[in-house]
Amino acid sequence: MAQVEAEKTKGFRLLPAPSKFEDGLVKFGDRDIKIGGPLPKLSEDEKLIRVTHSLCPACYRLLPATIFEKDEKMYIRKICPEHGEFEDLYYGDVGMYYKFDYWEYEGKGPKVPYVDLKSPCPYNCGLCPMHHQHSALVNLVITNRCDLSCWYCFFYAEKAGYVFEPTLEQIKFMVDQLKRQDTTLVIQVTGGEPTLREDIVEVIKLLRESGVKHVQLNSWGGTFAKMYMSDPDKAIRYAIALREAGVNTVYMSFDGTTRKTNPKNHWEIPYTLEVFRRAGMTSVVLVPTVIKTVNDHDLGNIVKFAARNMDVVRAINFQPVSLTGMMKRNMRAKFRITIPEVLKNVEDQTDGEISRDSWYPIGTSVVFSRLVEALTGKEQFEMANHPSCGAGTYVYVEWRNREPHFIPISKFIDLEGLLEYFKEKAEELKEGANKYWIGMKLLYNVRKFIDKEKGPKDFDVYKMLYNVVVSHNYEALGEWHYRTLFLGTMHFMDLYNYDINRVMRCDIHYVVPDGRVIPFCTYNVLNDLYRDKVLREYQIPLDDWIKKHGENSLGDAMKYRRVASVLEKGDIYIETYKYFNE
């Protein structure tokens, strides 16, 4: 085993671990973090599901934690010897957890580790030899400047006290680090607000020229709307330049369909989508942060909004809120929502059309990856996430009386039967079965899992699969792509529901200028150990930035000031929201 690891790292210098474990303490910079605590006990009405490790929200102490069932829900409990007991909702439906847990797979892990192993998880990121997943989506922060000043954000430059804006050379180095994993590179360009960089087109071109296969732009969308209001042609040219440079998808905040549920960009969204339409930017993902009592009643409308804008919107990714900062238990209970509640709300608010049973965990994609790998003999991209991390479904949109209706693929495809069949054939191939014969059996038998009577009346799903697999004709797949919505949900952790087992399985990572690749839920949850520490190390002092780029590039002078009354009078705004009432 040691020889195998040596071969993997041959030619690469392991980066030093960010901390070390000695004398019973994790020494992380000038901070000493303690290890261990009592295993929480359960009462008679509580059923143990599993034991894991978690963190004390007050001191980051590594603690044993119990995940248990009570009243059909799952909770996590841990006890810090210094700060007491912490308990929080872990997963809102235990039946759904067991359904998802069936599709759990062990990940391959990265082909090479990046850092030496000196401390227990999560103090040794990243990626260390303990990590179970290669990178699937990598966040690349290209600025911490932002033209908003959201009250809950401590990330933007003025609050941080410095500017973080890596150079093109640093960006190139970070991409080269990612290439060490030898897997398909998918990067999300993020911030701050990345469109504030004047050289963002050059950044995107650099990524594509460096071998990045898919580039997402994470934006609140205001730059496009602001440009459109002052000069529509300029806004369209700007979006075209980004698309032609290599942006595949815009990953855009969208918390609801009303002023109340989406105060962040409700007014700007109509104009931003108009720019994308006219620029041919036809792959937008709407990203609602879902907060109980705030916008969880508006989720069905978000799906309907996406359907009405399917010429540019391809997907929705619901993100249950991660509760940051110290917060009392009753306040956490007010805002806490987990994946099962999100799915139930979608079901209720689409009149049962998109049922909870329509959704499957991310791990089911491994079935397809391993089948293709067995058929082709080529290693495949794999997403073996923890079952509690996320879920997804595709829904076909059918129009009746000018209203969207939704047919999840699970309504006309026996997905569980199909997945089991694919697993069986992958195993046969691994045992030496003839690839050609298995391939023909697959094409013939897939038809048995499709119920044409329950499916779309104007689209032959089997014919599409046959054309793609046998004839390599992707036009039918393109039509399917533009007639369906992908609905996903991803629940990032916080200190109250932190589960070390999930961190080890994370495949959404950040790449940073020192060459490390850090899992999302350590980078952002242990932000003072990871995110803020890295950014400070590569900071540009505010005064130095202003001297070079001018007063208008930072502070109040560059903050966005909305004139809602003007935006609301526009025909585009009125047309966009005419189906959605306050």
Side-chain angles (χ1 to χ4, degrees), residues 42 46-51 67-75 90-104 340 357 359-361 364 386-388 416 420:
L42 302 182
E46 298 170 346
K47 176 185 174 183
L48 180 67
I49 294 177
R50 61 183 173 88
V51 175
I67 296 175
F68 60 93
E69 175 185 340
K70 182 178 180 179
D71 300 329
E72 302 299 320
K73 298 179 181 179
M74 292 169 60
Y75 295 85
Y90 183 90
Y91 207 73
D93 186 308
V94 73
M96 183 174 291
Y97 172 81
Y98 286 128
K99 172 191 170 182
F100 283 12
D101 187 56
Y102 176 80
W103 300 104
E104 182 173 12
D357 293 338
W359 299 72
Y360 284 80
T364 53
H386 190 280
S388 300
E416 292 193 22
E420 292 289 358

Side-chain angles (χ1 to χ4, degrees), residues 12 66 91 93 139 176 214 242 277 284 290 321 329 332 415 418 446 503 519 522 552 572:
F12 298 115
T66 50
Y91 207 73
D93 186 308
N139 288 277
D176 288 342
H214 188 94
L242 287 169
R277 284 189 177 93
V284 177
V290 184
V321 66
R329 187 170 174 179
R332 300 200 306 271
L415 282 176
L418 185 63
V446 161
V503 176
T522 50
N552 292 337
I572 293 171

